[in-house]
Amino acid sequence: GAVVSQHPSRVICKSGTSVKIECRSLDFQATTMFWYRQFPKQSLMLMATSNEGSKATYEQGVEKDKFLINHASLTLSTLTVTSAHPEDSSFYICSATPGEGAHGYTFGSGTRLTVV
Amino acid sequence: GQQVMQIPQYQHVQEGEDFTTYCNSSTTLSNIQWYKQRPGGHPVFLIQLVKSGEVKKQKRLTFQFGEAKKNSSLHITATQTTDVGTYFCAGLSSNDYKLSFGAGTTVTVRA
């Protein structure tokens, strides 16, 4: 089945630094990947749609300059949280699908970001 | 934009009992998908429903898609401790293939 690998699984960083999260589709090509954010005991909120070879599409209220997305290849998308602050602490998850969502999305294992 | 509502938010169930979680969309969906997230884990795809009125079963889990393709339900019979987790419904838009997640139903089971 489709496998999505996400790294790192946990990261602690200092305020003001940047953190890069990688999302890889291991056995399929993904022209589109999705980045979500999940607060404790809450649902997944779509942050942005990552498009291979073009600019990401951000959801309303998500700062483009804060959350940089790069989708340089058909198997890799990265999310960089720039100048992180404690309020950026959250669980970030990526997802992708071999098709166009018609057969379910595969999620990465998520990244627990803690900004101190 | 598309909104997906899901109730109840929490479900505390006696082992062996049945329960149902309900999902309702503000717009007609291309399909609806269900995911399960265990504590500390990530969402795992369970099933998708595409056709109006569709019913699918996975062992003790029964999924339904409404006639208008705007609502769905997940019914679990004879709940077991392995059913613990949060169940999310997610509606797929036909326009942009984005998933809109419901708030989730967090299930706990007492033995």
Side-chain angles (χ1 to χ4, degrees):
Chain A
V3 178
V4 173
S5 174
Q6 185 174 342
H7 294 280
S9 58
R10 292 180 180 272
V11 59
I12 300 173
C13 70
K14 293 183 178 180
S15 289
T17 62
S18 295
V19 174
K20 179 184 283 188
I21 303 170
E22 292 189 349
C23 182
R24 294 180 185 273
S25 56
L26 297 186
D27 50 0
F28 66 98
Q29 293 183 333
T31 55
T32 303
M33 291 185 176
F34 299 90
W35 287 96
Y36 294 84
R37 183 173 182 176
Q38 187 178 34
F39 290 104
K41 299 185 179 181
Q42 293 190 22
S43 188
L44 287 82
M45 299 301 296
L46 180 64
M47 297 175 65
T49 303
S50 174
N51 305 297
E52 187 270 334
S54 64
K55 291 182 179 180
T57 305
Y58 291 82
E59 295 301 300
Q60 191 173 7
V62 178
E63 299 176 59
K64 301 178 182 180
D65 296 331
K66 176 75 171 175
F67 300 99
L68 299 180
I69 291 173
N70 184 277
H71 196 150
S73 77
L74 287 171
T75 59
L76 173 65
S77 175
T78 61
L79 168 68
T80 301
V81 183
T82 62
S83 186
H85 289 97
E87 57 265 30
D88 297 325
S89 299
S90 190
F91 191 52
Y92 294 89
I93 320 176
C94 66
S95 75
T97 180
E100 291 177 324
H103 301 288
Y105 286 78
T106 301
F107 283 81
S109 56
T111 298
R112 178 79 55 193
L113 170 63
T114 303
V115 184
V116 298
Chain B
Q2 179 178 292
Q3 291 187 342
V4 177
M5 282 70 72
Q6 187 175 356
I7 57 169
Q9 187 175 0
Y10 298 98
Q11 185 78 55
H12 191 51
V13 188
Q14 177 72 43
E15 190 174 18
E17 290 184 343
D18 304 349
F19 75 90
T20 303
T21 172
Y22 301 90
C23 206
N24 190 57
S25 170
S26 58
T27 59
T28 302
L29 300 169
S30 174
N31 69 46
I32 195 154
Q33 302 176 12
W34 286 87
Y35 292 80
K36 179 181 180 180
Q37 185 176 22
R38 294 183 183 276
H42 60 279
V44 174
F45 175 72
L46 294 177
I47 208 163
Q48 71 155 8
L49 303 168
V50 180
K51 299 177 182 178
S52 170
E54 188 170 15
V55 178
K56 288 188 176 180
K57 291 188 176 183
Q58 286 182 350
K59 297 182 180 179
R60 294 178 296 103
L61 278 61
T62 301
F63 304 84
Q64 292 188 329
F65 201 11
E67 294 292 338
K69 299 184 72 173
K70 295 178 72 173
N71 56 69
S72 181
S73 64
L74 160 59
H75 181 76
I76 299 182
T77 59
T79 304
Q80 300 176 358
T81 54
T82 53
D83 295 325
V84 165
T86 301
Y87 294 83
F88 292 100
C89 61
L92 184 69
S93 166
S94 57
N95 297 326
D96 51 21
Y97 303 105
K98 292 181 184 179
L99 276 180
S100 295
F101 280 81
T105 295
T106 298
V107 177
T108 53
V109 179
R110 59 180 182 272

